[in-house]
Amino acid sequence: MSTAGYWELALPITDDASEAVTNFLWEIGALGVVEEETPATGARLRAFFPDSLAPAVLERRVRDYLAELAALGLRPASDVTVSPLPQDDWGEAWRKHFRPLPVGRRLLVVPPWETPSPEAVAPRLLVVIEPGRAFGTGHHATTAGCLECLETIVERETPGFAIDLGTGSGILAVTAARLGVPHVLAVDEDPDAVACAKGNAERNGVAGRVCCVVGDAGAVDAPPAPVVLANLLTAAHRRLAPTYVARVAPGGALVLGGILDTEAGAVTAALDARAFAPEHAVSADGWTTLQFRRRA
Ligand code: SAH
């Protein structure tokens, strides 16, 4: 295929298989992967591939992978289609998915190709995030919940330092800096995420204030911070409970995301109650964000 440009691979997807299949599509060379849901089609993944890849090979690799997932007891779809997309259409499809997104009371998260109108920006603080392969565009309820808590904390408390554990695209760290936090440490175990976070810090003119490093959240070497953000998963929060005691300064705030509503009690119970008092909780789309206060 020399003139068409790109292949679009589409398949219906279930919640339990979505993350695994999305990762797999990136691994085999997707240029973009989006999850869409309409009442007519239900949830489905659309992935865009360069025309240098043979469509039959793509389809077979995906089908083989779905069979592996099915053998593990997941219920992925089997209805995979690969169709040609005219030049530029994948960019269009990808871009249509990421529109400017107002978050919290005064944030506006935009992809780099959008120039929002002055009226849209005027009351809001612009945060430019390239939705690359790293997680964190603001469109997921866990990220939005953390951003809401962060915005309120920074406005009220003007912290001098913040730590973002599991920074992904860097969205929380970059927003903290844009809101005025003078020093931010952003950590991720995935080098691709750290590269993406660095790019986003540069895009927002805060690269000098956001230090992005590759590492495990449990092995961070930094002074205790008045704000610590961690949008991870419940299992990680349980494991990192001692880290949170060490990383959050007395009197400081801890914001934990990536928690299913049904897991919120377990995460609170996993934290040392002598160190942390629950302060605030936000829930959206089944995801809870918990905010704690480190006792003095
Ligand atoms: N902070 C972003 C991204 C959250 S996704 C947001 O709020 O949208 C979670 C990120 O944490 C991923 O990029 C993943 O690579 C990273 N991560 C998961 N476990 C980690 C650990 N133990 N140490 C460091 N990073 C971790």
Side-chain angles (χ1 to χ4, degrees):
M1 192 172 91
S2 57
T3 53
Y6 301 94
W7 296 110
E8 174 178 343
L9 184 145
L11 72 161
I13 194 75
T14 52
D15 268 359
D16 59 354
S18 173
E19 192 181 339
V21 176
T22 301
N23 285 339
F24 181 75
L25 293 167
W26 285 118
E27 271 167 30
I28 62 173
L31 299 166
V33 183
V34 294
E35 184 169 340
E36 294 177 344
E37 185 157 4
T38 66
T41 59
R44 61 181 198 139
L45 290 176
R46 296 172 71 198
F48 308 100
F49 292 91
D51 65 358
S52 53
L53 297 174
V57 175
L58 268 181
E59 188 175 332
R60 198 183 59 242
R61 291 191 68 181
V62 172
R63 284 189 188 281
D64 288 351
Y65 184 68
L66 295 176
E68 278 175 35
L69 290 183
L72 291 172
L74 298 181
R75 299 166 291 117
S78 53
D79 181 18
V80 181
T81 57
V82 181
S83 49
L85 262 189
Q87 196 78 38
D88 291 343
D89 270 16
W90 92 265
E92 227 0 72
W94 177 241
R95 284 166 186 229
K96 254 184 21 211
H97 198 77
F98 296 106
R99 313 299 310 191
L101 182 75
V103 183
R105 278 169 292 108
R106 54 177 289 243
L107 302 171
L108 184 69
V109 182
V110 295
W113 56 80
E114 288 279 347
T115 314
S117 65
E119 303 81 64
V121 180
R124 290 187 171 262
L125 182 72
L126 204 63
V127 180
V128 182
I129 296 294
E130 164 77 50
R133 299 178 52 153
F135 186 99
T137 59
H139 291 72
H140 197 281
T142 60
T143 309
C146 292
L147 287 171
E148 280 174 36
C149 293
L150 173 66
E151 177 184 48
T152 305
I153 292 166
V154 175
E155 277 175 6
R156 281 206 203 128
E157 303 170 28
T158 56
F161 176 45
I163 299 177
D164 177 15
L165 300 173
T167 197
S169 66
I171 185 167
L172 303 181
V174 167
T175 302
R178 290 280 291 133
L179 284 165
V181 180
H183 304 287
V184 185
L185 175 64
V187 181
D188 204 292
E189 62 188 5
D190 174 357
D192 288 342
V194 171
C196 179
K198 276 188 183 156
N200 281 323
E202 277 160 21
R203 251 173 223 112
N204 288 273
V206 294
R209 294 193 279 127
V210 179
C211 173
C212 304
V213 298
V214 179
D216 181 77
V220 169
D221 182 19
V227 181
V228 173
L229 306 149
N231 189 7
L232 302 163
L233 292 171
T234 290
H237 293 315
R238 289 183 161 183
R239 184 172 66 81
L240 291 169
T243 296
Y244 298 149
V245 178
R247 293 282 75 82
V248 184
L254 172 67
V255 177
L256 304 182
I259 302 162
L260 292 172
D261 288 347
T262 50
E263 299 168 343
V267 171
T268 303
L271 293 190
D272 181 351
R274 284 164 306 177
F276 290 106
E279 189 170 58
H280 180 55
V282 189
S283 163
D285 295 346
W287 294 93
T288 291
T289 305
L290 296 174
Q291 184 179 316
F292 296 87
R293 183 65 50 183
R294 176 92 156 87
R295 300 182 200 275

